[in-house]
């Protein structure tokens, strides 16, 4: 358990360096680039992220699972890496060709100008990032140190080179530069311990899980990532900018929660392989305890102080992001629970078909609700649709986990955590109605929430 705690610490620092750095620079770039500039960049980047999902398919999950299983055998490790990388090379080339063809046929995409080639550079660099290799090896220390250095360079670059609303391409190039830097470092570092030969690649070994889990990743991306371009198409770039702003804080928080599942996937894969299901149940219970402990104060904080957070980080002109932020933050419990059930349990158990069925059901609901709600409610409707889609995946995953392992969703624990959260509501209401200055409100409530959370940690959760 000590190694898991250490890996969790490194993974948490890694996630903070990945997501908090954009939050640090966002108050600056939102004022320099404006809401339309932010909407344009995020629209292009979301499209490229979707291309990356097509190119990666299920590699991130399959790679971590298979590397973890073979990490103690150098020969098997080298062959596994060779097969997985060759598979990713083929898929990346295919997606790049398809996307370039679509751009050539679409005047709308061509209107984004130089942002499209920059996005293609991100797609190419992602092939060589091979983060799944280091995650499967549980080398979180190396990943963390490398990321912090590159993120620091990104911050410096933004404040040096992004000066006016015309610097949209400059900012996006700096942002993509993080992926390029990670890819270069990872590719060079692997030479010190990994022996592989692309000529001996056998991509057939992992084709089925690659496509099955990739299908789930793409289905999930429909409501998680494609929602923004769809919102922009159905409304305008201003609504897209509001929604992108509303999800920024949430993305940081859910990423911190996801660090736990990221650390646990390789460990759970080994435990399932060894048949140690008592440990699997123990780690699952601990994961839910940690989720509820962190989720409730964060949700309460954002629900009360969303206007202050938006005005502080984005400035004026983003009031339309307040209500979507409040809706999206409710996903913390839903997606956090979903990740525990799907990533920590169903994937190591190889329940790939069930995972895909859950994704299909969620996308059908997303499509129907998008048509009904988004044209009328705009960014608010997009947030509601996303919440509904993720809830469907959670319900299906909970049913399968109960059937396969006899592990029930911890409803009693959830209800007790809700009761324990009542003081958060009281403190938030008191601060909101007695303190006028925004920064003071945020700091005071943060301190009060932290003190009560520490008390719960010591007396109730005992984690």
């Amino acid at each position: 358990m000590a190694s898991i705690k250490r890996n969790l610490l490194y993974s948490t620092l890694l996630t903070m360096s990945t997501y908090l750095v954009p939050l640090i620079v966002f108050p600056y770039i939102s004022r320099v680039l404006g809401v339309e500039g932010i909407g344009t960049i995020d629209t292009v980047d979301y499209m490229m992220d979707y291309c990356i999902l097509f190119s990666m398919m299920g590699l991130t999950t399959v790679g971590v699972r298979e590397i973890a299983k073979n990490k103690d055998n150098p020969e098997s490790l080298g062959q596994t890496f060779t097969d997985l990388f060759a598979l990713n090379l083929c898929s990346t080339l295919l997606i790049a060709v398809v996307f370039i063809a679509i751009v050539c046929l679409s005047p709308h995409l061509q209107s984004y100008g130089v942002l499209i080639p920059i996005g293609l550079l991100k797609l190419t660099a992602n092939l060589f990032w091979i983060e799944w290799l280091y995650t499967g090896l549980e080398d979180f220390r190396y990943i963390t140190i490398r990321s912090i250095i590159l993120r620091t360079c990104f911050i410096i670059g933004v404040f040096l080179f992004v000066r006016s609303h015309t610097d949209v391409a400059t900012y996006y190039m700096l942002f993509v530069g993080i992926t390029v830097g990670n890819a270069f470092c990872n590719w060079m570092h692997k030479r010190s311990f990994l022996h592989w030969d692309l000529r001996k690649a056998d991509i057939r070994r992992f084709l089925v899980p690659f496509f099955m889990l990739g299908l789930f990743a793409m289905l999930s991306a429909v409501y998680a990532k494609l929602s923004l371009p769809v919102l922009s198409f159905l409304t305008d770039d201003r609504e897209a900018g509001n929604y992108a702003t509303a999800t920024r804080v949430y993305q940081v928080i859910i990423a911190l929660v996801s660090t736990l599942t990221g650390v646990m996937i390789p460990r759970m894969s080994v435990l399932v392989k060894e048949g140690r299901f008592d440990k699997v149940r123990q780690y699952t219970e601990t994961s839910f305890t940690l989720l509820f402990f962190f989720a409730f104060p964060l949700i309460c904080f954002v629900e009360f102080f969303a206007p202050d957070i938006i005005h502080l980080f984005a400035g004026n002109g983003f009031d339309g992001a307040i209500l979507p932020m409040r809706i999206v933050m409710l996903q913390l419990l839903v997606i956090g629970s979903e990740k525990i059930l799907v990533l920590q349990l169903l994937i190591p158990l190889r329940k790939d078909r069930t995972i895909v069925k859950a994704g299909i059901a969620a996308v059908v609901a997303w499509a129907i609700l998008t048509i009904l709600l988004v044209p009328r409610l705009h960014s608010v409707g997009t947030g509601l649709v996303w919440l509904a889609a993720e809830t469907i995946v959670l319900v299906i995953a909970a049913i399968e986990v109960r059937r396969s392992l006899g592990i029930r969703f911890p409803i009693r624990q959830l209800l007790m955590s809700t009761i324990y959260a009542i003081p958060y509501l009281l403190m938030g209401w008191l601060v909101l109605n007695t303190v006028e200055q925004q920064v003071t409100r945020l700091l005071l409530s943060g301190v009060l929430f932290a003190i009560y959370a520490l008390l719960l940690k010591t007396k109730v959760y005992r984690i």
Side-chain angles (χ1 to χ4, degrees):
M1 191 65 180
S3 63
I4 290 180
K5 290 182 178 179
R6 184 173 59 251
N7 289 343
L8 181 59
L9 174 61
Y10 282 127
S11 189
T12 300
L13 292 174
L14 168 65
T15 303
M16 291 175 65
S17 71
T18 302
Y19 288 92
L20 289 181
V21 168
L23 277 185
I24 291 173
V25 302
F26 186 70
Y28 174 73
I29 64 167
S30 64
R31 290 164 174 80
V32 174
L33 301 181
V35 64
E36 291 187 5
I38 296 297
T40 300
I41 291 174
D42 282 340
T43 299
V44 173
D45 196 54
Y46 270 60
M47 285 190 294
M48 297 316 306
D49 282 347
Y50 205 64
C51 288
I52 288 173
L53 282 169
F54 270 99
S55 69
M56 293 292 288
M57 297 296 287
L59 181 62
T60 299
T61 304
V62 176
V64 172
R65 184 173 70 189
E66 299 302 324
I67 292 296
K69 288 166 54 179
N70 294 281
K71 64 181 180 181
D72 295 326
N73 186 325
E75 184 177 349
S76 297
L77 177 65
Q79 187 60 49
T80 299
F81 173 82
T82 300
D83 297 342
L84 290 170
F85 178 77
L87 192 54
N88 192 206
L89 175 62
C90 295
S91 61
T92 300
L93 289 174
L94 175 62
I95 295 303
V97 171
V98 171
F99 184 74
I100 291 173
I102 293 173
V103 171
C104 292
L105 297 173
S106 173
H108 178 70
L109 290 180
Q110 293 172 20
S111 68
Y112 287 106
V114 72
L115 296 182
I116 297 297
I118 296 174
L120 284 170
L121 175 62
K122 180 180 180 180
L123 173 64
T124 304
N126 186 77
L127 169 66
F128 300 97
W129 194 340
I130 56 174
E131 197 82 322
W132 44 270
L133 169 64
Y134 298 97
T135 303
L137 295 173
E138 298 187 76
D139 193 359
F140 293 98
R141 181 178 181 274
Y142 160 75
I143 297 173
T144 302
I145 294 174
R146 180 211 65 214
S147 294
I148 290 176
I149 293 173
L150 290 172
R151 303 290 164 179
T152 302
C153 293
F154 168 72
I155 293 175
I156 296 172
V158 167
F159 287 106
L160 285 178
F161 301 111
V162 180
R163 295 290 187 176
S164 71
H165 68 280
T166 60
D167 292 330
V168 172
T170 302
Y171 172 76
Y172 191 42
M173 186 66 221
L174 290 169
F175 185 74
V176 170
I178 298 174
T179 303
V180 175
N182 278 315
F184 177 79
C185 293
N186 281 0
W187 193 256
M188 298 302 292
H189 182 61
K190 73 170 179 50
R191 298 190 304 176
S192 63
F193 63 88
L194 186 69
H195 300 285
W196 67 292
D197 188 350
L198 193 59
R199 294 170 297 181
K200 299 180 180 179
D202 180 12
I203 65 174
R204 296 171 297 177
R205 261 211 309 163
F206 300 114
L207 271 177
V208 173
F210 178 79
F211 283 107
M212 289 292 289
L213 294 177
L215 180 57
F216 175 71
M218 289 185 290
L219 291 170
S220 300
V222 168
Y223 45 85
K225 293 185 178 295
L226 196 60
S227 292
L228 183 66
V230 169
L231 174 63
S232 177
F233 177 78
L234 293 177
T235 57
D236 52 43
D237 282 343
R238 176 170 290 276
E239 284 295 326
N242 284 330
Y243 184 74
T245 302
T247 58
R248 266 181 163 79
V249 172
Y250 164 79
Q251 288 170 348
V252 174
I253 295 173
I254 194 61
L256 290 172
V257 173
S258 300
T259 57
L260 176 63
T261 54
V263 167
M264 294 301 294
I265 289 174
R267 188 60 55 91
M268 287 292 202
S269 297
V270 174
L271 291 175
V272 169
K273 179 183 178 182
E274 296 174 351
R276 299 171 61 188
F277 292 103
D278 55 332
K279 277 288 185 181
V280 170
R281 292 183 176 87
Q282 177 186 336
Y283 286 156
T284 301
E285 182 180 349
T286 301
S287 296
F288 274 111
T289 300
L290 288 170
L291 171 64
F292 296 154
F293 172 73
F294 285 109
F296 277 98
L298 291 170
I299 290 174
C300 293
F301 185 85
V302 172
E303 295 302 321
F304 274 108
F305 303 106
D308 294 339
I309 295 171
I310 291 293
H311 293 154
L312 181 64
F313 282 96
N316 298 325
F318 289 85
D319 288 347
I322 294 174
L323 183 54
M325 172 181 277
R326 285 173 166 155
I327 295 171
V328 168
M329 270 304 297
L330 298 176
Q331 298 235 70
L332 186 56
L333 280 174
V334 176
I335 295 185
S337 300
E338 175 195 323
K339 285 181 177 293
I340 293 173
L341 297 178
V342 174
L343 298 182
Q344 290 187 200
L345 297 175
L346 294 184
I347 285 177
L349 288 170
R350 298 181 180 273
K351 298 293 183 179
D352 300 347
R353 293 185 182 276
T354 300
I355 295 171
V356 171
K357 290 177 182 178
I360 293 173
V363 167
V364 171
W366 173 85
I368 295 172
L369 293 174
T370 295
I371 295 172
L372 293 176
L373 298 181
V374 173
R376 298 179 180 179
L377 301 179
H378 300 171
S379 56
V380 173
T382 301
L384 290 171
V385 171
W386 188 12
L387 179 61
E390 296 288 3
T391 301
I392 290 173
V393 176
L394 173 61
V395 171
I396 295 175
I399 293 172
E400 180 62 31
V401 166
R402 179 179 177 180
R403 188 188 69 82
S404 301
L405 291 175
I407 297 178
R408 298 171 179 264
F409 184 83
I411 296 178
R412 182 179 180 277
Q413 189 178 2
L414 175 61
L415 293 175
M416 293 303 298
S417 297
T418 304
I419 294 173
Y420 296 143
I422 292 176
Y424 291 126
L425 301 177
L426 297 176
M427 287 185 289
W429 179 85
L430 180 64
V431 172
L432 190 62
N433 286 276
T434 57
V435 180
E436 295 185 2
Q437 213 279 331
Q438 288 183 344
V439 176
T440 304
R441 273 202 300 257
L442 292 174
L443 292 176
L444 179 58
S445 58
V447 170
L448 293 175
F449 278 34
I451 292 174
Y452 179 61
L454 183 61
L455 180 63
L456 285 179
K457 176 182 181 297
T458 305
K459 301 297 183 181
V460 178
Y461 290 100
R462 302 183 185 280
I463 53 179

